[in-house]
Amino acid sequence: MKILLIGANGEIGKILKPEFAKNHEIISAGRTSGDFNVNITDVNSIEKLFQQIGKIDACICVAGDCYTGELLSLDEEKLNIGIQNKLLGQINLVLIGQKYLNDNGSFTLTSGKMGDKPVKNNAAKAIVNGGINSFILAASLELERGIRMNAISPAKVADIPIHELTTAYFKSVESTVNGEIIKVNY
């Protein structure tokens, strides 16, 4: 498969890239590194990325910033960090990217445990991750041409055995599951 990995040089991307590269062609993209540069907060940047790459079989996104801090420090500006980056950025990848995916292709977005099991000082992450999960559940019902999409919802990555994390992403990309929130190490 020809797979676009956005956030390839981030914490999760550095784990996934060599594992997927064993059996697939990986195109890496990131804000400042990778085969291509992309700013997922900018729809024009996303469109340009897909135009440059052309048709692909899968898109995995492990990119997107989000604010962490106590509720009293949270304001619209800090909340918008996650909404613009992680939530809308990934949604726009699907909205724009679906026309560049081959039939029966897939999107794999990344949410996180805070969407289901929030802890103190993570209200912004809870909102953003919950939004990604809801988008997956709803939008997966409407994708055409056999295109699928799922979200990987990991706990703290440093606490997850690498095999469990990679298995979740492989499940989303290589199997036929659709509309699932694949929880890792809850």
Side-chain angles (χ1 to χ4, degrees):
M1 279 190 244
K2 185 177 179 182
I3 300 172
L4 171 61
L5 177 59
I6 299 172
N9 286 327
E11 185 177 17
I12 298 174
K14 286 180 183 176
I15 296 167
L16 297 181
K17 186 177 178 184
E19 293 302 312
F20 272 94
K22 290 176 183 176
N23 296 308
H24 303 288
E25 176 187 350
I26 303 301
I27 302 163
S28 62
R31 233 184 319 215
T32 58
S33 61
D35 301 321
F36 294 88
N37 289 341
V38 65
N39 175 354
I40 64 171
T41 67
D42 178 355
V43 293
N44 294 320
S45 180
I46 294 170
E47 184 75 48
K48 180 180 175 187
L49 171 69
F50 281 112
Q51 287 174 350
Q52 291 174 321
I53 292 170
K55 292 289 189 178
I56 58 173
D57 298 299
C59 175
I60 302 170
C61 185
V62 291
D65 297 329
C66 201
Y67 176 75
T68 300
E70 63 181 22
L71 186 63
L72 291 174
S73 70
L74 188 60
D75 58 24
E76 185 176 348
E77 181 180 342
K78 291 174 183 162
L79 185 57
N80 271 326
I81 294 169
I83 290 172
Q84 295 299 318
N85 279 273
K86 192 170 180 180
L87 179 60
L88 288 178
Q90 291 190 92
I91 289 171
N92 283 326
L93 284 171
V94 173
L95 297 179
I96 295 166
Q98 63 186 319
K99 63 187 173 199
Y100 295 94
L101 242 64
N102 289 324
D103 290 355
N104 304 309
S106 70
F107 289 100
T108 302
L109 307 184
T110 303
S111 60
K113 182 179 178 180
M114 295 302 141
D116 293 314
K117 296 186 175 206
V119 297
K120 193 174 178 180
N121 298 328
N122 281 283
K125 283 185 178 180
I127 293 165
V128 169
N129 290 338
I132 292 165
N133 291 346
S134 292
F135 176 72
I136 291 292
L137 296 172
S140 65
L141 302 172
E142 298 183 50
L143 289 171
E144 298 177 347
R145 300 184 292 109
I147 294 174
R148 305 173 296 102
M149 79 171 154
N150 302 289
I152 308 303
S153 180
K156 185 177 178 184
V157 175
D159 297 338
I160 301 173
I162 289 174
H163 174 73
E164 288 183 30
L165 186 65
T166 57
T167 297
Y169 282 91
F170 279 119
K171 178 181 179 181
S172 177
V173 174
E174 295 180 341
S175 76
T176 59
V177 298
N178 184 41
E180 288 195 22
I181 312 304
I182 302 168
K183 299 174 182 178
V184 185
N185 206 34
Y186 276 42

